Amino acid sequence: MFLQIFDAFKPRLHDSNSKVNQAALEALHGMVPLLKDHLSPVINMLIPAIVDNNLNSKNPGIYAAATNVVQALCQHLDTSLLLQPLCTKAQFLSGKAKQDLTEKLA
């Protein structure tokens, strides 16, 4: 059931409508502290959905929301769950997103 919910939620993190995209990121930011390590089964699906496009977004609201989600993940999840997916994404990103993830990993 948990996986099905996030399978349906994930496309909203890539939505072409910026308001939907931003609202999804903000909702996820609120969910992270509540779900904490229960997110472990979906973290490999969520990290790319959060990072791809959103951390390099020219829309300041989307960028801020994505940054807040990454920060919340780092605060509330076991860092060993985040290390591999964040390293993988940092390798293939460019620009501000690469800089932001590299700082988080450091």
Side-chain angles (χ1 to χ4, degrees), residues 12-78:
R12 301 297 66 86
L13 297 170
H14 290 293
D15 204 285
S16 59
N17 183 324
S18 61
K19 290 179 183 179
V20 171
N21 189 351
Q22 185 174 342
L25 287 164
E26 290 169 355
L28 184 58
H29 180 255
M31 285 187 254
V32 169
L34 300 172
L35 297 174
K36 297 183 182 179
D37 289 333
H38 296 291
L39 289 171
S40 61
V42 295
I43 202 68
N44 288 327
M45 169 190 9
L46 282 179
I47 295 289
I50 296 163
V51 173
D52 293 346
N53 303 323
N54 295 324
L55 278 184
N56 273 331
S57 178
K58 294 188 187 329
N59 180 319
I62 290 174
Y63 172 77
T67 302
N68 288 340
V69 172
V70 171
Q71 180 64 35
L73 289 170
C74 291
Q75 277 183 313
H76 297 285
L77 267 70
D78 181 3

